[in-house]
Amino acid sequence: MSKVIVHADKATAAKAVAATIRDLIIAKAKAGQNAVLGLATGSTPLPLYAELVRLHREEALSFRNVVSFNLDEYEGLPGDHPQSYRYFMEQNLFRFIDIRRENTHVPAGISADASRTCADYEAAILAAGGIDLQVLGIGRTGHIGFNEPPSALDSRTRRVHLDEVTRRDNSIFFGELSLVPQGALTMGVGTIMDCRQVELLAFGTGKAEIIRQTLRTAPSADCPASWLKSHARCTFHLDPEANALL
Ligand code: F6R
């Protein structure tokens, strides 16, 4: 079953999720295994990544046994484009920690055959043993990853068309709406539901209405995040502003 935790603020939420990730990495390392993390981009996980960097620097947390899979990537952007999600991960996390680059995965925004790229991504997740812990944000459309409504419970990694609300929200990073790609490659809802543990973060008044819808309406493709309520181990980490309408 899913649960909801309302934290004092987003820094406290980020520290709590970072501690969960640290404990997983350490437990797996002790067992001689990799920790397989699913990672998200956007504004929401920034304090979480800052805390993971601090744990690496100040508490010697090593990421040598971590394998990562990002949720999504804009279609048409190369990994060195400043708005690509590969670049985001490099700038906000990977370059500050000791993760092996060959262990990091982000769907390729440019490829000759997108459906092959998506199928290969699913296969790589399976080959890694599945995702132990997935970090999620939530879009104002109810998207997780870039699974815009309607997204089916059994959807897998695929090419998607971005909702105009999402393109407008993300245009702040691009400077201009016309520069925001129309499409993306994203893990599916089914891919996310297969993760053994899910930690969703939502902060600020801008997320209050979609959090209300997600938690108060029956699970459906119209609000893809609502499917998470039937996940066996999913926690919604909110700040008081995101919790305001509950
Ligand atoms: C990012 C992702 C998206 C974001 C969501 C919220 O990899 O998959 O679902 O988590 O759009 O974005 P922010 O955090 O910028 O509000």
Side-chain angles (χ1 to χ4, degrees), residues 9-154:
D9 52 35
K10 64 179 175 182
T12 314
K15 276 187 191 294
V17 176
T20 302
I21 292 175
R22 176 200 58 204
D23 294 350
L24 172 73
I25 292 173
I26 292 172
K28 287 282 188 171
K30 277 194 183 137
Q33 294 169 0
N34 286 331
V36 184
L37 301 181
L39 300 175
T41 58
S43 313
T44 306
L46 287 174
L48 166 64
Y49 296 154
E51 175 62 8
L52 290 177
V53 171
R54 192 195 67 75
L55 288 172
H56 173 65
R57 285 184 176 157
E58 297 177 15
E59 297 185 21
L61 177 65
S62 175
F63 291 77
R64 297 296 284 175
N65 70 319
V66 170
V67 173
S68 72
F69 287 91
N70 264 78
L71 285 163
D72 42 18
E73 180 60 282
Y74 287 112
E75 194 173 28
L77 299 193
D80 59 356
H81 187 288
Q83 297 312 326
S84 78
Y85 285 166
R86 161 61 74 180
Y87 190 87
F88 174 102
M89 292 310 302
E90 198 58 41
Q91 295 303 312
N92 292 295
L93 184 62
F94 296 158
R95 72 188 174 117
F96 300 117
I97 60 175
D98 61 345
I99 196 166
R100 299 171 211 255
R101 286 304 181 286
E102 64 270 28
N103 283 355
T104 67
H105 304 84
V106 182
I110 296 183
S111 68
D113 181 347
S115 46
R116 164 56 67 91
T117 301
C118 294
D120 288 350
Y121 206 69
E122 290 276 336
I125 293 172
L126 278 182
I131 294 173
D132 292 309
L133 185 154
Q134 175 68 54
V135 175
L136 292 179
I138 181 171
R140 290 193 308 131
T141 58
H143 72 216
I144 45 174
F146 272 142
N147 292 284
E148 303 284 17
S151 283
L153 182 57
D154 61 358

Side-chain angles (χ1 to χ4, degrees), residues 231-242:
H231 191 282
R233 200 173 168 199
C234 171
T235 304
F236 291 82
H237 298 269
L238 311 179
D239 68 359
E241 289 79 11

